[in-house]
Amino acid sequence: MQLTLWTYEGPPHVGAMRIATSMRDVHYVLHAPQGDTYADLLFTMIERRDRRPPVTYTTFQARDLGGSTADLVTTTLRDAYERFRPQAMLVGESCTAELIQDQPGALALGMDLPVPVIPLELPSYSKKENWGASETFYHLVRGLLAGAAPEPGYQRPVRPQGQPPLANILGPSALGFRCRDDVQEIKRLLSSLGVDVNVVAPESASPADLLRLPVADFNICLYPEIARTTCAWLARTFAQPTVTTVPIGVGATRDFLFEVGEVSGVDVSQVLDGEGSRLPWYSRSVDSTYLTGKRVFIFGDASHALAAARIANEELGFNVVGLGSYSRESAREVRAAATQLGIEALITDDYLAVEQQVEALQPELVLGTQMERHIAKRLGLPCAVISAPFHVQDCPARYSPQMGFEGANVIFDGWVHPLMMGLEEHLLNMFRGDFEFHEDAAPSHLNNGLERPAAPAQLEEQTADVPVPGEPCWAPEASTELHKIPFFVRGKARRNTERYAAERGLATITIETLYDAKAHFGR
């Protein structure tokens, strides 16, 4: 176990809590000590849900360990059922309670409650949040539908002529990145194809809705981290085909529509001809030449990281210099994608390893989680958040999907704007010495004769070149030349030049040293 300030995923019981919070008429009884209720804030504060998670804690204390905490489990289960009257109950334990080995799931099954009880065995010390959410959803679906499973060799009946195809959308959940808006966009796309939606789960579904899953003609695995295992079981048990393409980006959305057309037998050409994304237009425009070849580092959950790598490489003309994920269950796919890009994948859940990689690669844009946003801010790099874990500012009240053609527009704005604002800042810094921008030559009517405070860029110039004992110092003309370099690569140029001077025993860095270092490291 490693002590850390940040973590990409919580323990698996938080994943189970995500499924319970997503659904209706489901209640989760969690055997946990007092103090393990912190996860509630993830939903009310970060995702801004208008209700608390449907979770009841046993909240045992240190003094309870001298007696039977199993009695506390059964009492809490009975009280939770009487109070909430859910259609189904989930029963599990937190990482701390796992050490006690009370086996709350077995206790719950022995109580003969009048609703389905799904016991959860989620190993807290070897698995994490997304796996816990996936297993919870799978066991909930399987537990409810086990009695409806047909005999082996079952063949689905042919859909009646004139009846529209019916699809399940599986995977969207609480604390998923932009799930609410993604579902709306996918529903809109399916409606344009003439495909009806049967059930969306786990988000907003009830146990009664899950019982209707086999009615659909096919399943859409919208978020593989959550729904892949469930879709595989439904395919084996009820012979339901699965659409596996995640429609993030223009190319992936087109592939998604083709796959839906194949499994449903509908013509998708009209929808493809009328796609509404502005990303392809911009990628072909003269203004996009500034973005061509930009060095990009990508890190997040596997689905969003893989989609971002495809968009960056194929649709925006970026140069992907780093690709990684904290989703160890999908490490093979991430490594395969990185190999195609000619790089080595970074599979880790240690944010310090990610920071070290970003600092070494010095990309011009970072695409990642809220962790990478903090890392990029410290390194002075532009960043866009593309994946959970995210902060409240990445959960907008407005419509802001990541999937479909409209999602491609949102991605286009979210990625391009940080780069364009970086260009604007660089140009302002570069021309701030011009007489037209000089305060004495063209004073602002808002100034009112007051002394203007130094801009951040000026403060950087005033403080960045203070000599450090034992290290090369910068000559004034070399320092001036250094600040002509764009801010997002200036740090790398400074470090390389100082390293070059130190290795050669130079006490002062001149303009010649700066250009010699550039030639040396540019080879």
Side-chain angles (χ1 to χ4, degrees), residues 380-421:
L381 301 172
C383 179
V385 174
I386 63 165
S387 162
F390 54 88
H391 205 269
V392 62
Q393 70 187 82
D394 303 304
C395 189
R398 68 184 183 280
Y399 184 61
S400 186
Q402 294 286 286
M403 295 186 177
F405 296 124
E406 185 58 31
N409 289 335
V410 174
I411 289 172
F412 163 69
D413 286 341
W415 297 11
V416 171
H417 288 175
L419 288 171
M420 287 302 188
M421 296 309 293

Side-chain angles (χ1 to χ4, degrees), residues 185 188-189 247-254 257 271-284 311 315-316 401-413:
E185 181 65 14
R188 188 186 65 80
L189 283 175
I248 301 179
V250 174
T253 300
R254 295 176 65 88
L257 292 174
V271 176
L272 290 173
D273 292 341
E275 70 177 50
S277 175
R278 293 177 63 81
L279 189 151
W281 161 81
Y282 185 84
S283 296
R284 295 189 295 266
I311 296 169
E315 299 176 23
L316 286 172
Q402 294 286 286
M403 295 186 177
F405 296 124
E406 185 58 31
N409 289 335
V410 174
I411 289 172
F412 163 69
D413 286 341

Side-chain angles (χ1 to χ4, degrees), residues 309-371:
R310 177 176 178 179
I311 296 169
N313 183 56
E314 299 179 8
E315 299 176 23
L316 286 172
F318 291 160
N319 177 23
V320 180
V321 297
L323 174 62
S325 175
Y326 58 82
S327 303
R328 295 186 181 275
E329 293 82 7
S330 302
R332 183 174 300 177
E333 295 97 311
V334 177
R335 288 194 175 101
T339 300
Q340 290 183 348
L341 294 168
I343 56 179
E344 185 176 351
L346 176 64
I347 307 299
T348 183
D349 57 4
D350 183 356
Y351 68 92
L352 294 175
V354 178
E355 181 171 10
Q356 185 177 14
Q357 184 90 325
V358 174
E359 192 167 10
L361 293 172
Q362 282 295 310
E364 294 162 279
L365 176 65
V366 176
L367 304 174
T369 71
Q370 66 164 327
M371 275 59 146

Side-chain angles (χ1 to χ4, degrees), residues 30 59 87 96 103 133 205 230 294 301 335 373 456 465 481 491 519:
L30 182 63
T59 57
Q87 294 180 11
T96 309
Q103 298 183 331
T230 301
K294 288 293 183 185
D301 68 48
R335 288 194 175 101
R373 175 167 54 205
D465 301 322
E481 193 69 16

Side-chain angles (χ1 to χ4, degrees), residues 110-144:
M111 292 179 63
D112 293 326
L113 292 173
V115 293
V117 174
I118 312 298
L120 301 175
E121 298 291 338
L122 305 176
S124 299
Y125 298 97
S126 59
K127 297 294 184 179
K128 294 203 171 182
E129 180 181 325
N130 279 339
W131 183 89
S134 175
E135 284 294 294
T136 301
F137 186 45
Y138 163 66
H139 283 292
L140 185 56
V141 170
R142 182 168 181 170
L144 293 173

Side-chain angles (χ1 to χ4, degrees), residues 123-456:
S124 299
Y125 298 97
S126 59
K127 297 294 184 179
K128 294 203 171 182
E129 180 181 325
N130 279 339
W131 183 89
S134 175
E135 284 294 294
T136 301
F137 186 45
Y138 163 66
H139 283 292
L140 185 56
V141 170
R142 182 168 181 170
L144 293 173
L145 290 176
E151 295 295 327
Y154 167 76
Q155 297 291 326
R156 294 192 65 81
V158 179
R159 186 173 68 251
Q161 188 72 24
Q163 179 177 313
L166 201 58
N168 295 320
I169 300 177
L170 303 182
S173 69
L175 290 181
F177 191 68
R178 308 283 175 85
C179 284
R180 175 199 63 193
D181 299 339
D182 285 346
V183 169
Q184 291 186 43
E185 181 65 14
I186 297 307
K187 281 183 174 180
R188 188 186 65 80
L189 283 175
L190 293 176
S191 177
S192 66
L193 295 174
V195 176
D196 291 342
V197 174
N198 178 43
V199 173
V200 178
E203 184 63 53
S204 301
S206 68
D209 293 327
L210 297 186
L211 292 173
R212 297 189 290 109
L213 286 175
V215 175
D217 298 303
F218 63 97
N219 296 311
I220 296 174
C221 186
L222 207 59
Y223 298 94
E225 284 83 1
I226 306 299
R228 182 188 285 120
T229 303
T230 301
C231 287
W233 183 78
L234 291 171
R236 293 192 307 268
T237 307
F238 296 98
Q240 287 177 308
T242 303
V243 174
T244 58
T245 302
V246 179
I248 301 179
V250 174
T253 300
R254 295 176 65 88
D255 292 345
F256 169 80
L257 292 174
F258 275 121
E259 193 173 357
V260 170
E262 288 179 1
V263 300
S264 64
V266 300
D267 182 15
V268 301
S269 58
Q270 186 174 357
V271 176
L272 290 173
D273 292 341
E275 70 177 50
S277 175
R278 293 177 63 81
L279 189 151
W281 161 81
Y282 185 84
S283 296
R284 295 189 295 266
S285 72
V286 66
D287 293 328
S288 71
T289 55
Y290 168 69
L291 304 177
T292 304
K294 288 293 183 185
R295 293 165 50 82
V296 179
F297 177 87
I298 301 170
F299 194 89
D301 68 48
S303 296
H304 287 88
L306 291 171
R310 177 176 178 179
I311 296 169
N313 183 56
E314 299 179 8
E315 299 176 23
L316 286 172
F318 291 160
N319 177 23
V320 180
V321 297
L323 174 62
S325 175
Y326 58 82
S327 303
R328 295 186 181 275
E329 293 82 7
S330 302
R332 183 174 300 177
E333 295 97 311
V334 177
R335 288 194 175 101
T339 300
Q340 290 183 348
L341 294 168
I343 56 179
E344 185 176 351
L346 176 64
I347 307 299
T348 183
D349 57 4
D350 183 356
Y351 68 92
L352 294 175
V354 178
E355 181 171 10
Q356 185 177 14
Q357 184 90 325
V358 174
E359 192 167 10
L361 293 172
Q362 282 295 310
E364 294 162 279
L365 176 65
V366 176
L367 304 174
T369 71
Q370 66 164 327
M371 275 59 146
E372 283 64 52
R373 175 167 54 205
H374 291 306
I375 290 169
K377 185 175 182 179
R378 284 201 301 275
L379 298 176
L381 301 172
C383 179
V385 174
I386 63 165
S387 162
F390 54 88
H391 205 269
V392 62
Q393 70 187 82
D394 303 304
C395 189
R398 68 184 183 280
Y399 184 61
S400 186
Q402 294 286 286
M403 295 186 177
F405 296 124
E406 185 58 31
N409 289 335
V410 174
I411 289 172
F412 163 69
D413 286 341
W415 297 11
V416 171
H417 288 175
L419 288 171
M420 287 302 188
M421 296 309 293
L423 173 63
E424 178 180 297
E425 183 175 339
H426 170 56
L427 292 175
L428 289 173
N429 287 341
M430 188 168 65
F431 289 108
R432 67 178 178 271
D434 192 284
F435 76 94
E436 293 185 14
F437 291 90
H438 197 278
E439 188 69 18
D440 295 334
S444 169
H445 68 284
L446 300 176
N447 195 1
N448 295 327
L450 300 176
E451 183 178 353
R452 185 176 59 178

